[in-house]
Amino acid sequence: MLILINKGDREAFNEIYQRYWLNLLQIAVRKVSVQEEAEDIIQDLFVSIWIKRHSLHIHTTLKAYLFSALKYKIINLYESKCVRKNYSSYVSANCKRHDNTTEEMVVYNEVQREFEIGLEKLSPKVKHVFLLSRNDNLSISEIAERLDISQQTVKNQISKALRMLKAHLIHGYIISAFIFTLVYN
């Protein structure tokens, strides 16, 4: 069956889909508790298999591979939710509503300018991966598939981008804070 899928046989792929999708869906629903999210995970799993069909090499049973792949899709979902929740909490805790005074606009524009400068200092590959992640909202697996690189490489490049941007912004913030204290004191 796998050999047929490697050759692009849609009937073999449909057979595997029909044979396993319900069992996979039931497990996904138990793990994520939301039917729509579970369906999305299963859909994404089978789309990934079809996309990678020519290079797919399974060294276990197909069933074991599918259940293992499902486990990692669920883990990725939880990681993504955790990151979004942490970011939302951070924004809520650190961003207060107040009037957009001239000083605030100056600070905002300065941070934006420093971010753009930091972004330009990234290597082209790291920058591209980072922008796919942040601007296009692609998951790590989607970026890996699109660029034909490993998920670990994507994670490493995003981490590198974040470290470099953070260091650049902190450096820029220290300089801006120093200038601010000279001007306003």
Side-chain angles (χ1 to χ4, degrees):
M1 196 66 85
L2 289 175
I3 295 170
L4 294 173
I5 290 176
N6 286 121
K7 293 180 181 178
D9 187 319
R10 289 180 191 268
E11 289 181 29
F13 178 78
N14 287 337
E15 173 66 29
I16 289 172
Y17 181 85
Q18 292 301 322
R19 186 179 300 172
Y20 292 104
W21 78 270
L22 184 58
N23 288 339
L24 293 168
L25 180 62
Q26 289 170 341
I27 292 169
V29 167
R30 278 191 305 234
K31 298 294 182 185
V32 300
S33 303
V34 179
Q35 179 78 24
E36 291 79 20
E37 284 182 344
E39 290 172 359
D40 288 345
I41 289 171
I42 302 306
Q43 184 70 24
D44 187 43
L45 173 67
F46 280 104
V47 167
S48 295
I49 290 171
W50 183 253
I51 289 171
K52 296 177 183 178
R53 68 187 176 276
H54 298 298
S55 61
L56 191 63
H57 300 288
I58 298 175
H59 302 289
T60 63
T61 66
L62 177 61
K63 183 176 181 178
Y65 173 84
L66 291 171
F67 286 94
S68 179
L70 174 62
K71 177 178 86 172
Y72 289 109
K73 292 281 185 190
I74 291 169
I75 289 170
N76 287 342
L77 174 72
Y78 281 123
E79 285 176 350
S80 176
K81 282 183 174 183
C82 185
V83 167
R84 285 187 181 112
K85 182 180 177 187
N86 288 341
Y87 178 74
S88 178
S89 296
Y90 172 79
V91 169
S92 296
N94 293 301
C95 296
K96 300 173 185 168
R97 289 192 175 263
H98 43 100
D99 296 332
N100 287 331
T101 63
T102 303
E103 292 91 12
E104 290 169 347
M105 290 306 295
V106 168
V107 170
Y108 172 80
N109 289 335
E110 181 66 20
V111 170
Q112 187 66 31
R113 186 178 70 78
E114 286 297 326
F115 179 79
E116 295 296 328
I117 291 170
L119 205 55
E120 290 305 315
K121 289 184 176 182
L122 300 176
S123 72
K125 289 181 182 179
V126 171
K127 180 180 175 182
H128 184 61
V129 168
F130 180 78
L131 291 176
L132 287 173
S133 169
R134 296 314 191 258
N135 291 355
D136 296 348
N137 295 319
L138 295 180
S139 69
I140 290 172
S141 60
E142 291 170 328
I143 296 169
E145 286 177 23
R146 181 178 286 188
L147 300 179
D148 196 28
I149 57 178
S150 73
Q151 289 186 18
Q152 188 60 47
T153 299
V154 173
K155 289 177 187 177
N156 292 345
Q157 289 181 346
I158 291 172
S159 293
K160 183 177 183 179
L162 290 171
R163 273 193 318 275
M164 292 177 72
L165 288 169
K166 181 179 177 183
H168 180 79
L169 288 173
I170 288 172
H171 178 73
Y173 175 76
I174 291 170
I175 291 171
S176 296
F178 178 71
I179 292 170
F180 183 81
T181 56
L182 287 176
V183 171
Y184 290 101
N185 285 336

